Amino acid sequence: VSLEDHPFVTKLSTFMKLSAGDLKRLGSIFGTEKAIKKRKDLVVDGEEYRNLCLVRDGYALRYKLLRNGRRQILNILLPGDVIGFPVSFFDRSSYSVVALSDLTVNVCSIDAYVRLCLERPQFSLALTWLAIKEAAIYAERIVDIGRRTPIERLVHFLLELHSRLLTIGLAEKTTFKLPISQEIIADALGLSVPHLNRVMQHLRKEKFISNNSRVVEFFDIPALQTLAHYQPLTFTQIPLPRSGRSSA
Amino acid sequence: VSLEDHPFVTKLSTFMKLSAGDLKRLGSIFGTEKAIKKRKDLVVDGEEYRNLCLVRDGYALRYKLLRNGRRQILNILLPGDVIGFPVSFFDRSSYSVVALSDLTVNVCSIDAYVRLCLERPQFSLALTWLAIKEAAIYAERIVDIGRRTPIERLVHFLLELHSRLLTIGLAEKTTFKLPISQEIIADALGLSVPHLNRVMQHLRKEKFISNNSRVVEFFDIPALQTLAHYQPLTFTQIPLPRSGRSSA
DNA sequence: CGCCCCGTTGAAATGAGTCAAGCCTTGTGG
DNA sequence: CCACAAGGCTTGACTCATTTCAACGGGGCG
């Protein structure tokens, strides 16, 4: 199976070079493509899960449900993201993942990936970089929820989503499709649905954004970035030696 | 320099085996031990930082300061933790790190560590595991701040800190030294200081914990775990082949 | 001895949640 | 093709948890 056009590869390419041989090995591990139906649970809180699972197409949700029925959404998984962060590295999951839309994914066990890493260490570094990126996204969410006002929070969330969609080619410069309901945004930002709704209306009224039928448009990105204290971050390249020591 | 008794090594040992040769190579990279004064900035928001830096002794704080003067604390860095997550992997930092106490650290550049990884891939996997652990801590913090009540939040925070201190041998079964002020806890949990104070008093009054001169004692850990929805997590071992392929 | 940090307390103000209802849109089945 | 159902969006009124602001006390450190 060829992975060249896989959004995961697109993401990897932003911080490392992949040789044809690398791609082939990746393909040999992530060969099987799997279709998942909307609403299907991929990971269940409390159960064991030990795979890397790459989203090729569609959206998913990583979340935790508390006893009192409250839900906190940790992240929205886009094409190229890894289902299995961070749960595959613990004896059992503490989060759930559910498909938001119909999904196609490529699955590979942790064990198989580790074997690949021992053979080609750059893949292990790639995994580190991805885990770090995940941590960085979470860190910004903490700041969002902990100390930013609801308006700032929402804007920050939208800017981040836009930026992530851009890197996998699923957004325009000032516009993108927002594939999620307000309930989901509220649960991601630690707000109630009515309040989120009012904040959204405020943003529309003040002409910061428009938002019709799940398409968001930013009217003044620099202003929004300032408002939300948004700092676009660029990854460093993995500092691999320039020699061909790791080619096929 | 010998690292055998370094809390970082203690942490690594919980999920991988380190040969004598591994330790020696690690020592060759993290050789220099550095003393840092209390209150000294280690990482500054907006500047470049590109080191792994291991805390051997003392405490530090990773935080972000917003324009309006609000501060969100991302994590409290304990002995064995890595200063440089996640900022060393981006072109410039978006967080600051400051020493909470006098500190001794071992520093190593990212480049040097990556060279080590290419030579011994298991170190690269170790870094992945650590990054994942960091992400998992952040994830729980998101749930804390987003959807747990202030009491749950505080208890969860204390349990987690206790568990982290236990793995590096700095806590007793039901007791530990809490090296931080209420202002810091408040900024970590997204609460105001007066309110955190009242929540703390509540916990004491209800005989859940005692807390004198920065020593915390838990009276009924299972009850506290239930109260806070706390799920202790155990890391999986890195699934390295049992053969000695990676020995010195 | 005095200062400063830290913990503590109180009163008042408010932002955000809750509950409940209505409407609009989308998808679906007859 | 229409009718209905279901989910998602919007609105309002009310409540109260939490913040804010301000002041005080104690204890350790210089």
Side-chain angles (χ1 to χ4, degrees):
Chain A
V1 176
S2 165
L3 292 179
E4 284 157 35
D5 61 337
H6 198 293
F8 179 73
V9 171
T10 311
K11 256 177 78 177
L12 282 194
S13 304
T14 63
F15 57 83
M16 71 185 289
K17 289 195 182 50
L18 289 159
S19 69
D22 289 337
L23 276 175
K24 212 172 136 211
R25 282 296 278 119
L26 260 190
S28 75
I29 279 194
F30 286 104
T32 4
E33 196 145 291
K34 226 175 128 185
I36 310 274
K37 283 279 171 218
K38 187 172 171 173
R39 257 171 257 264
K40 161 117 173 123
D41 292 315
L42 289 148
V43 180
V44 178
D45 190 350
E47 297 188 4
E48 178 179 320
Y49 188 83
R50 202 138 302 155
N51 298 300
L52 295 181
C53 174
L54 311 179
V55 180
R56 176 189 269 279
D57 203 69
Y59 303 92
L61 223 54
R62 180 177 295 126
Y63 68 96
K64 174 159 202 156
L65 223 50
L66 301 180
R67 273 198 315 277
N68 51 20
R70 298 182 163 213
R71 177 176 69 165
Q72 177 63 45
I73 290 172
L74 290 175
N75 203 358
I76 296 176
L77 301 173
L78 311 179
D81 282 346
V82 181
I83 296 168
F85 277 165
V87 298
S88 291
F89 299 83
F90 293 91
D91 58 347
R92 58 213 163 70
S93 172
S94 44
Y95 307 107
S96 306
V97 177
V98 64
L100 259 183
S101 64
D102 285 349
L103 223 57
T104 73
V105 298
N106 298 71
V107 190
C108 150
S109 76
I110 290 277
D111 289 17
Y113 196 88
V114 165
R115 278 196 297 278
L116 170 63
C117 290
L118 295 175
E119 181 193 317
R120 304 195 181 207
Q122 67 270 37
F123 281 114
S124 160
L125 288 167
L127 194 60
T128 303
W129 253 246
L130 288 172
I132 289 278
K133 170 85 180 174
E134 191 81 12
I137 290 176
Y138 290 173
E140 275 310 304
R141 191 62 36 81
I142 290 174
V143 178
D144 270 354
I145 301 178
R147 292 297 187 212
R148 285 196 250 255
T149 66
I151 305 137
E152 293 166 356
R153 236 182 268 193
L154 175 55
V155 171
H156 196 278
F157 176 81
L158 293 174
L159 287 171
E160 185 212 293
L161 210 53
H162 179 239
S163 141
R164 287 171 64 201
L165 287 167
L166 267 180
T167 74
I168 51 168
L170 289 184
E172 310 299 317
K173 259 204 180 122
T174 62
T175 269
F176 66 102
K177 203 160 171 331
L178 184 73
I180 53 181
S181 71
Q182 293 193 355
E183 187 184 2
I184 289 174
I185 305 180
D187 279 347
L189 300 182
L191 296 169
S192 66
V193 174
H195 200 245
L196 177 88
N197 184 284
R198 289 185 249 260
V199 171
M200 201 120 202
Q201 286 178 50
H202 177 78
L203 282 176
R204 286 191 302 239
K205 221 170 290 171
E206 300 289 328
K207 300 281 185 245
F208 281 123
I209 66 169
S210 80
N211 173 30
N212 296 315
S213 58
R214 303 230 167 145
V215 172
V216 174
E217 178 172 6
F218 298 134
F219 291 134
D220 184 350
I221 292 191
L224 288 169
Q225 290 184 340
T226 307
L227 170 63
H229 308 214
Y230 181 83
Q231 300 173 287
L233 286 183
T234 31
F235 249 147
T236 56
Q237 292 279 316
I238 299 181
L240 294 170
R242 33 272 110 254
S243 74
R245 68 172 292 170
S246 57
S247 64
Chain B
V1 178
S2 163
L3 291 180
E4 286 157 36
D5 61 337
H6 198 293
F8 178 73
V9 171
T10 311
K11 257 177 76 176
L12 282 196
S13 305
T14 64
F15 57 83
M16 69 185 289
K17 288 196 182 48
L18 289 159
S19 69
D22 288 338
L23 276 174
K24 211 173 137 212
R25 281 296 277 117
L26 259 191
S28 76
I29 279 194
F30 285 104
T32 4
E33 196 145 291
K34 227 175 127 185
I36 309 274
K37 283 280 171 217
K38 188 172 169 171
R39 256 171 256 266
K40 163 115 173 129
D41 292 315
L42 289 148
V43 179
V44 178
D45 189 351
E47 298 188 2
E48 178 179 319
Y49 187 82
R50 202 138 302 156
N51 299 299
L52 296 181
C53 173
L54 311 179
V55 180
R56 176 191 270 279
D57 204 68
Y59 303 93
L61 224 55
R62 181 177 295 125
Y63 67 96
K64 175 160 201 154
L65 224 48
L66 301 181
R67 274 197 316 275
N68 51 19
R70 294 180 166 217
R71 176 176 68 166
Q72 178 64 43
I73 289 172
L74 290 177
N75 201 358
I76 296 178
L77 301 173
L78 310 179
D81 281 346
V82 181
I83 297 169
F85 277 165
V87 297
S88 292
F89 300 81
F90 294 91
D91 58 347
R92 58 213 163 70
S93 173
S94 43
Y95 307 106
S96 306
V97 177
V98 64
L100 259 183
S101 64
D102 287 350
L103 222 57
T104 72
V105 298
N106 297 71
V107 190
C108 151
S109 76
I110 291 276
D111 288 16
Y113 196 87
V114 165
R115 277 196 298 276
L116 170 63
C117 291
L118 295 176
E119 182 192 319
R120 304 194 180 210
Q122 68 268 38
F123 282 114
S124 156
L125 288 165
L127 194 61
T128 303
W129 254 247
L130 290 171
I132 290 278
K133 169 85 179 174
E134 191 81 12
I137 291 176
Y138 290 173
E140 274 310 305
R141 190 62 37 83
I142 290 173
V143 178
D144 270 354
I145 301 178
R147 290 297 185 211
R148 284 196 251 255
T149 66
I151 304 138
E152 294 165 357
R153 232 181 271 193
L154 176 55
V155 171
H156 197 277
F157 176 81
L158 293 175
L159 287 171
E160 184 211 293
L161 210 53
H162 179 239
S163 141
R164 287 171 63 201
L165 287 168
L166 267 180
T167 73
I168 50 168
L170 290 184
E172 310 299 317
K173 259 203 182 123
T174 63
T175 269
F176 66 102
K177 204 162 171 328
L178 184 74
I180 54 180
S181 70
Q182 293 193 354
E183 187 184 2
I184 289 173
I185 304 179
D187 279 348
L189 300 181
L191 296 169
S192 66
V193 175
H195 200 245
L196 177 88
N197 185 285
R198 290 185 248 259
V199 172
M200 202 119 204
Q201 287 177 51
H202 178 77
L203 283 176
R204 285 190 304 238
K205 224 170 288 172
E206 301 289 327
K207 299 282 185 244
F208 281 125
I209 67 167
S210 79
N211 173 29
N212 296 314
S213 58
R214 303 227 168 148
V215 173
V216 175
E217 178 172 5
F218 298 134
F219 291 134
D220 184 351
I221 291 190
L224 289 168
Q225 291 183 342
T226 307
L227 171 64
H229 307 213
Y230 181 83
Q231 300 173 288
L233 286 184
T234 31
F235 248 147
T236 57
Q237 293 279 316
I238 299 180
L240 295 170
R242 38 270 113 251
S243 74
R245 67 172 293 172
S246 56
S247 64

